Amino acid sequence: VVVTASNGMDDYFRLQQRLLLITLLLSAVAVIATACFASLATAFSLLVGALAGLLYLWLLSRSVSRLGEQSRRISKAQLLVPVALVLAASKVPQLSIVPALLGFLIYKPAVILQALFDRPSSAEA
């Protein structure tokens, strides 16, 4: 089987889209559950953190996709996202830092779920 560079990039872009979609879905479920079982203020903080996590994941994937084409190293711009989130949570009274950070970290379970979905089954191996 010959894998072309464009085919590899197509696979990467599909993976990137799936990761963003899973992160978005997990974020929506977490925000709705928090709004139902906790408070709207906590759900708002979680939402802001989840949006920051989506932005972080998108910036990171964009930086990785440029690797080799235009750059030889990964940009560090995405590292400003969690810093800005913590600063915003410390300055804006409507934001709570713990729910915002938990919302930011929602992309991590999405990565784990994607790895489990991509794992070859014993029938394929």
Side-chain angles (χ1 to χ4, degrees):
V1 175
V2 176
V3 177
T4 62
S6 65
N7 187 16
M9 287 306 288
D10 290 343
D11 290 342
Y12 173 73
F13 288 126
R14 279 193 296 276
L15 171 67
Q16 178 184 349
Q17 288 176 334
R18 283 193 310 259
L19 275 174
L20 290 170
L21 180 63
I22 292 170
T23 302
L24 184 64
L25 292 173
L26 287 176
S27 298
V29 168
V31 169
I32 291 168
T34 302
C36 291
F37 298 112
S39 68
L40 289 179
T42 304
F44 176 72
S45 295
L46 190 77
L47 175 64
V48 170
L51 292 174
L54 275 168
L55 176 62
Y56 173 84
L57 187 61
W58 179 74
L59 287 172
L60 180 63
S61 64
R62 191 177 73 163
S63 177
V64 169
S65 68
R66 290 183 178 168
L67 204 59
E69 289 177 4
Q70 304 160 354
S71 153
R72 293 185 189 266
R73 59 189 177 101
I74 294 178
S75 169
K76 299 204 177 13
Q78 70 272 4
L79 296 178
L80 294 175
V81 175
V83 172
L85 177 63
V86 169
L87 286 174
S90 67
K91 299 290 183 190
V92 177
Q94 292 83 7
L95 288 178
S96 299
I97 195 158
V98 173
L101 288 176
L102 289 174
F104 175 79
L105 293 174
I106 289 176
Y107 79 91
K108 296 270 187 189
V111 170
I112 293 169
L113 284 173
Q114 183 59 47
L116 291 174
F117 291 150
D118 282 350
R119 199 173 70 181
S121 68
S122 59
E124 292 178 30

